[in-house]
Amino acid sequence: MEPMAKSPGELTHLDSQGAARMVDIAGKPVTRRVAVAEARVYVGAAAEILAGGPGPKGDPFQVARVAGIAATKRTADLIPLAHPIGLTRAAVDLWQEADGEQVRIRTRAETTDRTGVEMEAMTAASVAALTLYDMIKAVAPDARIESVRLVYKAGGKSGTWGADPDPEPDPARVRGG
């Protein structure tokens, strides 16, 4: 599935003079909308510690999960032209990849509304990655956030798009979900 690209003259958050604007969604139909995003965090020296499960101060994965879910609800406060929307679901899953040095964060946001939830899913992935980084930075100075991207969206006029044909994580690999 290919993204529904717009030409520069069709950017929805710019008016005809190029000024920033919030899109008028009043005339759009209310539909079910879903977005899935992911972030990847290189954990370096923290790989072995994370593989051991919760430490004395708790589980960094759980703290990152809660931070990501909370972030979905604050997206309109952080992204100036995003609409406040009523979320029907926010989920954040985290797992260490087989090499142990990468943590994948997969987020899902859902709504039944007039606008999509891509920004909510990507905000959740970003904040969960930042939180994980914050939790491990003392023991892993080489940790880094390597990517944040949208992997799937459905609903609304532009339909379904997906860079990942299976947007659900493997439950056997997710920690504490």
Side-chain angles (χ1 to χ4, degrees):
M1 296 171 265
E2 290 298 315
M4 304 291 288
K6 296 188 180 291
S7 69
E10 297 179 73
L11 293 175
T12 58
H13 287 82
L14 299 178
D15 67 16
S16 60
Q17 282 75 47
R21 67 179 176 99
M22 184 178 247
V23 175
D24 181 0
I25 61 170
K28 293 172 81 175
V30 172
T31 62
R32 180 172 180 268
R33 296 158 186 268
V34 176
V36 177
E38 77 172 24
R40 290 181 182 261
V41 180
Y42 173 80
V43 296
E48 194 171 316
I49 294 168
L50 289 173
K57 293 185 178 182
D59 186 347
F61 283 33
Q62 292 301 330
V63 176
R65 174 177 286 115
V66 171
I69 291 169
T72 63
K73 298 186 281 183
R74 301 302 303 247
T75 300
D77 294 331
L78 299 168
I79 310 299
L81 301 178
H83 290 84
I85 61 171
L87 291 166
T88 58
R89 181 179 178 200
V92 178
D93 293 308
L94 299 93
W95 65 91
Q96 274 180 278
E97 295 286 14
D99 67 5
E101 293 186 353
Q102 294 269 336
V103 170
R104 188 182 318 186
I105 301 166
R106 183 64 65 98
T107 65
R108 184 180 186 95
E110 296 182 21
T111 190
T112 301
D113 211 323
R114 290 181 161 88
T115 190
V117 287
E118 297 93 333
M119 295 311 301
E120 286 73 12
M122 291 181 61
T123 299
S126 299
V127 170
L130 286 165
T131 301
L132 181 63
Y133 177 90
D134 185 49
M135 295 289 292
I136 66 171
K137 68 185 181 207
V139 296
D142 57 339
R144 62 185 174 271
I145 297 168
E146 296 196 324
S147 67
V148 176
R149 69 183 185 124
L150 183 70
V151 295
Y152 177 83
K153 73 177 220 82
K157 186 169 88 174
S158 49
T160 300
W161 174 84
D164 187 337
D166 182 18
E168 292 293 326
D170 176 359
R173 294 171 57 199
V174 173
R175 183 150 111 206

